[in-house]
Amino acid sequence: MSTDLTILYRGPLASCDYDCPYCPFAKRRDTGEQLRSDRAALERFTAWAAERTGHRLSVLFTPWGEGLVRSWYRRALVEMSRLPHVSRVAIQTNLSCRTGWLAEADRDKVALWCTYHPGQTPYERFLARCRELAALGVRHSVGIVGLDEHLEEARRLRAALPSEVYLWVNAAEGHTYTDEEADRWTALDPLFPYSRHPHRSAGLPCRTGESVVSVDGDGTVRRCHFVRAELGNLYDGSYQDSLGPRGCPLDVCDCHIGYVHLETLPLYDVFAGGVLERIPADPVRMPADPVRRPARPASAPGGPVSPGPSRSPLPFVSR
């Protein structure tokens, strides 16, 4: 078993304080019993992590709902950030919560992946939260879903954020972008071409299942959130013998938290030191004389793979 392990944790929590029309979990209410179950599951996981002193851990919390409005998620980030064997602890959040509690965390280790949802929170309030994070010295990225109605708000946000704060754009699920539309989003996020199309992944090497795993509230370990096959259980250690290199069993991967781990993409170099919080290692720019880099590999075990129907060049990181 590798001594370095990245864990994507997703417990039972599914409630959110927002009502985004593009999200199936918007405004879902968890019962008191469901919230108690989520809290118990998270506390079990953090206790397990605290005991794994012989391993180097990195953790990204990816709740279906909004975690940071719950005290147990805030406490988990603070406590885990202080563990010597935890390299990074991060969470996906809509940033609707207060930020002062982060002063108690190790700010060299804690990080936030923040999504701005126009129409769900006032722009100035969200921007103020981002400025609070910057003042606290908390690593964070900021992003938005690439819908036409979000474009002007995204431009406004990009202009207001410090240049060193990465603004990412997620392609809207089920949305097809013309080259002209994609160019508008790429002007804001030079890495948008990676999100624009699903990535062919069948049989291709991926770090998930080897150095990256997904864990649910019961401790069931899977290679990632998108592959249902079980590798074992975290708490009885049965997953350990299942870890190892393997090709992806799915035809395509279309979510950043999945395809970022594909070994056929250069994203571990692009996000070196910031894979979990989605922060590039260096300023990202488009080549002055673009040479098209396929979004998908030109070949794979078992035969050739089409790079897919994209004319947009993929960006690189300048060093």
Side-chain angles (χ1 to χ4, degrees):
M1 174 182 169
S2 170
T3 57
D4 294 304
L5 189 64
T6 294
I7 299 174
L8 310 181
Y9 177 87
R10 178 174 287 166
L13 184 75
S15 55
C16 186
D17 51 341
Y18 284 4
D19 191 19
C20 303
Y22 41 84
C23 177
F25 290 90
K27 288 294 183 184
R28 172 170 163 174
R29 287 185 175 273
D30 283 327
T31 65
E33 181 179 353
Q34 288 171 323
L35 290 174
R36 286 189 292 273
S37 175
D38 180 72
R39 180 173 183 167
L42 180 62
E43 290 175 348
R44 185 186 186 192
F45 172 73
T46 56
W48 174 90
E51 295 172 355
R52 302 275 80 78
T53 55
H55 302 82
R56 195 77 177 162
L57 299 178
S58 298
V59 178
L60 172 63
F61 294 108
T62 63
W64 281 122
E66 174 54 38
L68 292 185
V69 296
R70 307 296 176 185
S71 62
W72 49 98
Y73 282 90
R74 299 193 298 269
R75 183 166 57 253
L77 262 73
V78 169
E79 292 178 354
M80 292 188 70
S81 75
R82 293 173 173 174
L83 296 175
H85 59 286
V86 170
S87 300
R88 179 82 75 231
V89 57
I91 191 169
Q92 294 176 321
T93 176
N94 63 25
L95 207 54
S96 61
C97 68
R98 302 181 307 275
T99 61
W101 58 274
L102 284 159
E104 302 176 14
D106 183 335
R107 278 158 281 172
D108 289 330
K109 295 183 180 181
V110 74
L112 302 186
W113 166 329
C114 311
T115 307
Y116 173 47
H117 298 283
Q120 301 297 312
T121 184
Y123 166 81
E124 293 296 344
R125 180 185 298 171
F126 182 86
L127 182 60
R129 292 278 193 265
C130 294
R131 289 171 172 162
E132 290 168 7
L133 294 180
L136 285 165
V138 174
R139 289 173 59 85
H140 63 289
S141 66
V142 176
I144 197 166
V145 176
L147 294 167
D148 288 345
E149 57 267 31
H150 292 172
L151 182 59
E152 289 309 314
E153 286 286 87
R155 287 171 171 165
R156 184 184 182 194
L157 188 60
R158 175 64 280 172
L161 290 171
S163 59
E164 63 270 18
V165 174
Y166 172 51
L167 177 73
W168 49 264
V169 178
N170 272 352
E173 186 173 355
H175 188 79
T176 300
Y177 294 83
T178 66
D179 288 335
E180 182 180 0
E181 290 171 334
D183 287 345
R184 288 198 287 267
W185 290 111
T186 303
L188 291 170
D189 174 11
L191 298 177
F192 176 73
Y194 286 108
S195 181
R196 181 184 176 187
H197 296 292
H199 296 274
R200 293 283 299 276
S201 59
L204 299 180
C206 181
R207 296 171 181 87
T208 61
E210 182 179 12
S211 59
V212 181
V213 295
S214 165
V215 175
D216 68 15
D218 295 324
T220 300
V221 177
R222 298 176 174 86
R223 63 177 300 164
C224 74
H225 288 330
F226 315 106
V227 177
R228 300 309 300 164
E230 298 179 6
L231 300 181
N233 191 274
L234 191 73
Y235 302 122
D236 64 13
S238 58
Y239 74 98
Q240 296 183 34
D241 290 339
S242 300
L243 297 182
R246 65 195 75 202
C248 180
L250 305 181
D251 290 335
V252 297
C253 187
D254 64 356
C255 182
H256 178 90
I257 59 174
Y259 65 70
V260 71
H261 304 295
L262 277 172
E263 294 183 34
T264 49
L265 295 176
L267 295 179
Y268 263 50
D269 291 329
V270 172
F271 292 100
V275 170
L276 293 191
E277 60 270 35
R278 202 172 179 174
I279 296 178
D282 293 303
V284 181
R285 62 184 176 88
M286 296 297 293
D289 182 17
V291 176
R292 183 170 177 265
R293 175 188 290 167
R296 304 147 185 90
S299 62
V305 175
S306 167
S310 174
R311 290 184 1 220
S312 299
L314 292 184
F316 67 96
V317 173
S318 59
R319 293 189 181 278

